[in-house]
Amino acid sequence: MKNQFKVLPQTPWTAKNFWSLERQPLCVLTISLLLLGFGEGLLLLSNLGSAPWTVLSQGIALQAGFSVGWASLLISAFVMLMWIPLKLRVGLGTILNTLLVALALGITTAFIPAPNDLLLRIGYAIVGILLFSISSAFYLTCHQGGGPRDGLMVGLCSYFHCKVGVMRTIMEASVCTLGFLLGGTIGIGTLLFSFSVGWIIQITLSLLKHSST
């Protein structure tokens, strides 16, 4: 926990431990993850390019000859293995991330129509990225564990003593480039996500830190 507090500020909704079921942290965690999934759904509906990790899944699936779903599962498993040397821990947030983000993503894409107008598509992408990033900061400050990629980001930031904006941008840009080289499809939404998500998370974390002191 001490290493994580160097990256993530302590907030009024910070939980006592990784598995506690306190009302305020649980509410913030649940709402944030649902909004995160909603934001990811809007980005998908914009049809301006998938998120970088999806691009990587596409590329691996094309090269290996299996589905994008299996590729995504393998990537998540590999990322979780990278948690071990960073001494990261699985928590309630890790489990709920898997369940609630997928739920919100599915509902969003099932019930919200995809826009045809280009300006509306760009609006979907921008709102989606903002929701994704801001919600990521809020759920991480519950200090109950992150999803595979968010946890890796926090662990690498703590290990290398660097800013979230820098590390997340390096991660997303690297994944995007590798996925593209393997045959994945990118678009303006992919690039916008890659180079903005980390900095929006960092700005949100900074604002939360100042508001909590």
Side-chain angles (χ1 to χ4, degrees):
M1 290 288 284
K2 290 182 178 180
N3 285 336
Q4 287 198 20
F5 282 120
K6 295 177 183 178
V7 180
L8 305 173
Q10 190 167 12
T11 62
W13 53 85
T14 293
K16 293 179 181 178
N17 60 63
F18 273 59
W19 294 99
S20 65
L21 296 175
E22 305 156 73
R23 183 177 61 181
Q24 190 174 15
L26 186 59
C27 285
V28 173
L29 188 62
T30 301
I31 293 171
S32 298
L33 289 172
L34 288 173
L35 288 174
L36 192 158
F38 177 55
E40 191 170 350
L42 290 179
L43 179 63
L44 182 62
L45 288 171
S46 73
N47 197 27
L48 291 173
S50 303
W53 291 87
T54 304
V55 175
L56 178 60
S57 297
Q58 291 174 344
I60 291 176
L62 284 171
Q63 298 300 320
F66 47 67
S67 71
V68 173
W70 277 110
S72 179
L73 181 63
L74 289 174
I75 290 170
S76 295
F78 177 75
V79 171
M80 291 297 290
L81 288 176
M82 295 176 67
W83 279 32
I84 297 173
L86 294 171
K87 298 180 180 179
L88 298 172
R89 294 166 56 193
V90 172
L92 182 62
T94 311
I95 304 302
L96 290 182
N97 181 289
T98 303
L99 300 174
L100 296 181
V101 173
L103 174 64
L105 175 62
I107 292 174
T108 302
T109 53
F111 292 100
I112 296 181
N116 294 317
D117 182 75
L118 179 59
L119 288 178
L120 191 55
R121 289 167 60 196
I122 293 173
Y124 268 45
I126 292 173
V127 172
I129 291 170
L130 285 171
L131 278 175
F132 183 97
S133 307
I134 294 170
S135 299
S136 294
F138 270 85
Y139 101 82
L140 286 171
T141 52
C142 292
H143 290 273
Q144 293 196 287
R149 291 161 283 184
D150 292 323
L152 180 63
M153 174 191 72
V154 172
L156 290 174
C157 285
S158 180
Y159 185 83
F160 290 107
H161 304 287
C162 70
K163 295 181 178 179
V164 167
V166 174
M167 182 54 67
R168 189 59 178 255
T169 301
I170 291 172
M171 287 173 59
E172 300 293 339
S174 300
V175 165
C176 181
T177 301
L178 179 58
F180 177 71
L181 292 175
L182 291 173
T185 304
I186 66 172
I188 188 173
T190 311
L191 299 176
L192 185 60
F193 185 99
S194 298
F195 294 102
S196 66
V197 63
W199 298 105
I200 299 172
I201 293 175
Q202 181 176 303
I203 291 170
T204 306
L205 289 173
S206 297
L207 291 173
L208 291 175
K209 179 179 180 179
H210 289 307
S211 66
S212 300
T213 55

